[in-house]
Structure formats: C-alpha cells, structure tokens
Amino acid sequence: MPEGHSIHRLARQLTDVFAGQRVRVSSPQGRFAAGAALLDGHVLTGAEAIGKQLLIHFKNHDGEGPGRGEYGDGDRQGPDGDENGEHRVLRIHLGLYGAFSFGGDASFRGASSIGAPRRIGETESGAQPGGEYLGPPAPVGAVRVRLVSEHGWADLRGPSACEVLTSDDVRALRAAAGPDPLRSGAPAAADDAGGAPAAADDAGEFSGRLRRRHVACGQLLMDQGVIAGIGNVYRAELLFRAGIDPYRPGKRVTEQEAVDLWADAVFLMRDGVRLGRIVTTQRDPAHAVAVQDLTLDVDAADIPEEHGRFVYKRTGQPCPRCGTPVASAVMAGRNLYWCPGCQH
DNA sequence: CCCGGATGGCAAC
DNA sequence: TTGCCCTCCGGGC
C-alpha cells in the first residue's frame, strides 16, 4: 500500500528511535527466525529508503576487540561500503499490506520526528497515557520481525520481502534502482541516514530512462528502474497534473515534459513525507504544471482528504480541468485513472 | 460476518 | 497475462 514517501518516513522513524542503540531482533511469527538471529544484539546504525525499498543497517557491537575503525564519517557512500563482514543490512519491502507499528516510553515517542504515525504503513501503539512503559506487548497476529531497544519496540507484519543482505546484494540493489525523487537534491535535513547527495542530474537520468523506452509512460512511471518510489496514486496524479496521456510511449514524452514531471514528483513526494498522506491538488509556486490554475494555493496539510486528488479513484466524475468523465482501465495489472479529454 | 479490494512485486504459465 | 503472497479493514449482507 505504501508508496515511496511512506518508506522514507519509516526510515526516518527507525533512525530516530533506534539509531545507535543495541536492539534485540526476533521473529515471533517464526518465518524470519534465521535472519533475526543474524541481527540480534547488534547496534542499529540507521535506516534508509531507496524508492520503496527499506534498508536497516546494523553493526556487530560485540567488539571487545581493539577498536575497529569507525565508519568513515565523511563517507557518504553509505555504510555498506564496509567489507569486514560485521555490517549487516536488513532489506524490507512492504508490498501491498506490510506495516510497522511502534511503541515505547516517553523518550522513545519523543525521538520521532515524523509526528503522529499514519494508518498506511505506520501505526503507533503502547502510548499508555498515564501508565508506565512496561516493555513490548505480547505479539498480536503475525509479527514477522520485532525490534526491541531499551526504550521501545517496532513490529513488522506482512512484508513481501524481509531478508538479510550481503554487501554485494546491497550494491546490486542500489545499481538497479532508478533515481529517487526523495533522495534528490538537498531536502534540508529532511533526508534519511544513508542518503547520498544525489547527482544534480537526477532529472536528466530519469528523462533518459523514460524517453528511451517505447512502453506506455503510465507503465514506465511504475517501473522502479526508471524512477524509484512512484506508486499507483502518484503515477495517475503526476500525469494528470502534467496533462500527459498515460498511453503515450515514453519515447514520445519530450525532454521538457520529463524534466517537469521529475520536478513535480520531488515537490509532491516531499509533501507526502511531511504529511504522511498523499495530496496532489496543491500548488507548487516554483513550478508551473498544466493544471496550475486548478491547484489550491494553500498548505497541503490544510487540504481535506476528499479534495486531495484530481483523478485517482474518481472514475466517472467530471474532470476538474475539462469536464470529461474520468476514465479507468487496467494497465500492467494495476488500476489506472486519467482524463481522456485533456491528457494528450 | 464474510468478501474483496488495496498506495506491490514476483514467479510461473 | 495470471496467480500468489498473506494482512487489514470497510462495505455489504
């Protein structure tokens, strides 16, 4: 269910509440018992999102051993550059219904910078108003992974992927991913731990990957190797805002259109991270889109849910730009929404 | 109280 | 293209 913005929020949350701490890792459900044993008792050094992939980094802190070098502070390549085998990475993909829940004492909850968790992909519990934090509750349901620190806990259920990666795996994962709008540029302290300072030319990279393919651009936006983190809602809304027909082949999207799509994705998804929900009807004062005169010139936080999208799940309702009923069809196994009247 | 859909992705036909 | 994964929750009975 979550698109890239949710994964970036989770990476930030996990870093906020666990980074630098030794954690107990278990699999109450049992399905991840072997993997949990590889991580149990290690120090969680940070979490990062690459598109919809969530990577949680651990280092083995048993180290009575003479000071092994710290991770290079200046090394922005990310900690997986470490070759000594003590660094381990947990890869999680939430798929359609994976979700984290968190709970802990006041310091644990206070460490979170994402504000109140949202229902999609993140929930909060164990916030006993007047009570004292007495440790994690008995696991309810199928908890694939449980992380427990001194101050709180996190439970993961229903992920489509959950595995411990080798350094080679991590390198391959990074190489396969397209540019991620939420790792691009400098979101002023808004980026997660391993966030590399993205090349200024992410827009160009996206444009190249989009425009060299003959496949429908509505399908390419969902291709994580073309652009990482876009899901079904952002795909439909980005193309509507740009006035682009989802069936137009990637190679027939102009360079300017591609660059504008990228800029709009960066804008919308940063709001998604900030708010914990997808809003796409707000105006970007710094960037003109085809739908500019229909956008709301207010903070996206103030836009109610029912006014938060232009076409997604609005089949049959009149297009806000031209009045044509919004159409829907299945494209590559997913429901696509668009206006056949004004998207060309 | 059951059914089915959901902001994914994959392997197998 | 289809089925499957395997979880939650809302809508319709």
Side-chain angles (χ1 to χ4, degrees), chain A residues 96 192 195 226 241 332 338:
Chain A
L96 256 185
D192 48 77
V226 171
R241 284 170 64 95
W338 83 106

Side-chain angles (χ1 to χ4, degrees), chain A residues 214-218 243-250 252-254 257 344:
Chain A
H214 196 72
V215 178
C217 65
I244 295 173
D245 182 345
Y247 288 94
R248 200 202 301 177
R252 291 191 42 228
V253 174
T254 69
E257 283 174 325
H344 301 293

Side-chain angles (χ1 to χ4, degrees), chain A residues 69-82:
Chain A
E70 312 160 17
Y71 290 119
D73 320 308
D75 177 12
R76 301 295 292 158
Q77 283 304 74
D80 59 290
D82 192 301

Side-chain angles (χ1 to χ4, degrees), chain A residues 85-173:
Chain A
E86 297 202 338
H87 172 238
R88 290 174 180 162
V89 180
L90 175 58
R91 176 183 79 101
I92 291 166
H93 197 297
L94 295 183
L96 256 185
Y97 24 69
F100 269 95
S101 52
F102 298 90
D105 65 16
S107 75
F108 183 92
R109 296 199 300 279
S112 173
S113 64
I114 66 172
R118 307 295 172 177
R119 203 178 62 72
I120 302 296
E122 10 164 335
T123 58
E124 182 180 32
S125 53
Q128 308 113 329
E132 194 152 334
Y133 172 64
L134 299 173
V140 176
V143 177
R144 185 81 56 89
V145 181
R146 166 168 278 189
L147 305 175
V148 180
S149 71
E150 186 185 345
H151 297 286
W153 53 271
D155 280 352
L156 168 67
R157 300 154 204 277
S160 64
C162 179
E163 60 178 350
V164 179
L165 297 187
T166 66
S167 296
D168 280 346
D169 293 333
V170 175
R171 270 187 285 276
L173 186 150

Side-chain angles (χ1 to χ4, degrees), chain A residues 33-45:
Chain A
L38 293 172
L39 305 172
D40 188 31
H42 291 205
V43 172
L44 194 160
T45 57

Side-chain angles (χ1 to χ4, degrees), chain A residues 1-327:
Chain A
M1 299 174 71
E3 303 197 19
H5 69 295
S6 296
I7 313 307
H8 280 261
R9 281 171 64 86
L10 283 169
R12 188 186 301 176
Q13 165 77 357
L14 289 163
T15 300
D16 285 345
V17 300
F18 287 126
Q21 298 182 52
R22 195 180 183 104
V23 293
R24 300 308 307 263
V25 183
S26 60
S27 179
Q29 173 204 48
R31 278 189 56 178
F32 186 63
L38 293 172
L39 305 172
D40 188 31
H42 291 205
V43 172
L44 194 160
T45 57
E48 64 175 320
I50 301 175
K52 298 172 192 168
Q53 306 276 355
L54 177 62
L55 301 185
I56 307 178
H57 299 273
F58 294 85
K59 69 176 176 184
N60 188 341
H61 186 275
D62 259 347
E64 309 280 306
R68 40 187 306 282
E70 312 160 17
Y71 290 119
D73 320 308
D75 177 12
R76 301 295 292 158
Q77 283 304 74
D80 59 290
D82 192 301
E83 293 291 348
N84 64 18
E86 297 202 338
H87 172 238
R88 290 174 180 162
V89 180
L90 175 58
R91 176 183 79 101
I92 291 166
H93 197 297
L94 295 183
L96 256 185
Y97 24 69
F100 269 95
S101 52
F102 298 90
D105 65 16
S107 75
F108 183 92
R109 296 199 300 279
S112 173
S113 64
I114 66 172
R118 307 295 172 177
R119 203 178 62 72
I120 302 296
E122 10 164 335
T123 58
E124 182 180 32
S125 53
Q128 308 113 329
E132 194 152 334
Y133 172 64
L134 299 173
V140 176
V143 177
R144 185 81 56 89
V145 181
R146 166 168 278 189
L147 305 175
V148 180
S149 71
E150 186 185 345
H151 297 286
W153 53 271
D155 280 352
L156 168 67
R157 300 154 204 277
S160 64
C162 179
E163 60 178 350
V164 179
L165 297 187
T166 66
S167 296
D168 280 346
D169 293 333
V170 175
R171 270 187 285 276
L173 186 150
R174 290 188 197 281
D180 179 345
L182 290 172
R183 294 175 71 100
S184 191
D191 206 1
D192 48 77
D201 203 29
D202 276 347
E205 183 65 30
F206 161 65
S207 177
R209 293 185 186 207
L210 179 76
R211 295 183 355 103
R212 100 176 120 243
R213 307 267 303 272
H214 196 72
V215 178
C217 65
Q219 195 165 324
L220 292 171
L221 281 185
M222 296 276 277
D223 183 333
Q224 302 301 301
V226 171
I227 179 170
I230 303 292
N232 209 17
V233 180
Y234 282 126
R235 146 176 92 166
E237 297 292 311
L238 282 166
L239 290 173
F240 178 80
R241 284 170 64 95
I244 295 173
D245 182 345
Y247 288 94
R248 200 202 301 177
K251 66 192 315 185
R252 291 191 42 228
V253 174
T254 69
E255 174 79 26
Q256 186 62 50
E257 283 174 325
V259 168
D260 287 347
L261 272 174
W262 176 267
D264 209 30
V266 171
F267 168 69
L268 292 179
M269 293 180 80
R270 283 183 185 170
D271 266 354
V273 171
R274 177 168 61 92
L275 304 174
R277 66 190 180 105
I278 299 178
V279 180
T280 60
T281 50
Q282 71 275 47
R283 181 166 311 168
D284 180 356
H287 173 63
V289 291
V291 77
Q292 188 79 338
D293 53 333
L294 300 174
T295 52
L296 306 174
D297 194 13
V298 299
D299 189 309
D302 298 326
I303 299 177
E305 198 57 30
E306 62 270 27
H307 294 136
R309 294 159 195 161
F310 286 117
V311 292
Y312 180 77
K313 275 196 171 172
R314 297 180 64 85
T315 309
Q317 299 187 51
C319 164
R321 187 161 47 206
C322 74
T324 303
V326 170

